[in-house]
Amino acid sequence: MKNYVGLLTNVEIRDSLARFTLETESGTIKCVIGNFFVSMKFLMLHNNKYLISVKGSFDPSDDENHLIVKDFKIISEDEFVRELDIRMQ
């Protein structure tokens, strides 16, 4: 699994999955988190505010080339994030 770091943008829930865009120095990566409970917490995060690190792999059968997130860390954590206790379970 490769590690990517970038700004969290465009968070949405579709089909019980959190989908978001990670704006990195080298470009934009579309990401998906399959855990429903983590997805609902992710939806509460503000766009363009949090720097996150994600680990995952791309699904070769996915036409949109989403990164399937296996683990993540919110680098620019604040009190709101600590209260939500957002982490992979």
Side-chain angles (χ1 to χ4, degrees):
M1 282 189 294
K2 193 168 177 185
N3 188 52
Y4 301 93
V5 177
L7 187 65
L8 176 69
T9 63
N10 302 321
V11 179
E12 65 180 16
I13 299 292
R14 196 176 336 148
D15 302 324
S16 300
L17 302 173
R19 297 174 185 260
F20 61 91
T21 304
L22 189 66
E23 298 292 338
T24 70
E25 289 181 358
S26 58
T28 300
I29 301 172
K30 295 178 185 177
C31 302
V32 174
I33 294 179
N35 183 304
F36 177 75
F37 297 106
V38 174
S39 294
M40 295 312 292
K41 289 182 178 183
F42 242 78
L43 187 60
M44 292 185 243
L45 297 176
H46 298 285
N47 287 322
N48 303 311
K49 181 174 182 180
Y50 296 104
L51 186 64
I52 67 171
S53 171
V54 298
K55 288 183 183 178
S57 55
F58 290 96
D59 181 357
S61 65
D62 181 9
D63 293 340
E64 294 187 48
N65 202 30
H66 284 96
L67 176 74
I68 309 302
V69 176
K70 301 295 183 191
D71 195 19
F72 68 89
K73 178 175 177 28
I74 300 174
I75 297 170
S76 56
E77 191 175 273
D78 59 11
E79 188 62 31
F80 180 70
V81 170
R82 284 188 286 279
E83 286 180 22
L84 283 177
D85 191 29
I86 301 175
R87 56 191 149 114
M88 294 301 275
Q89 312 207 0

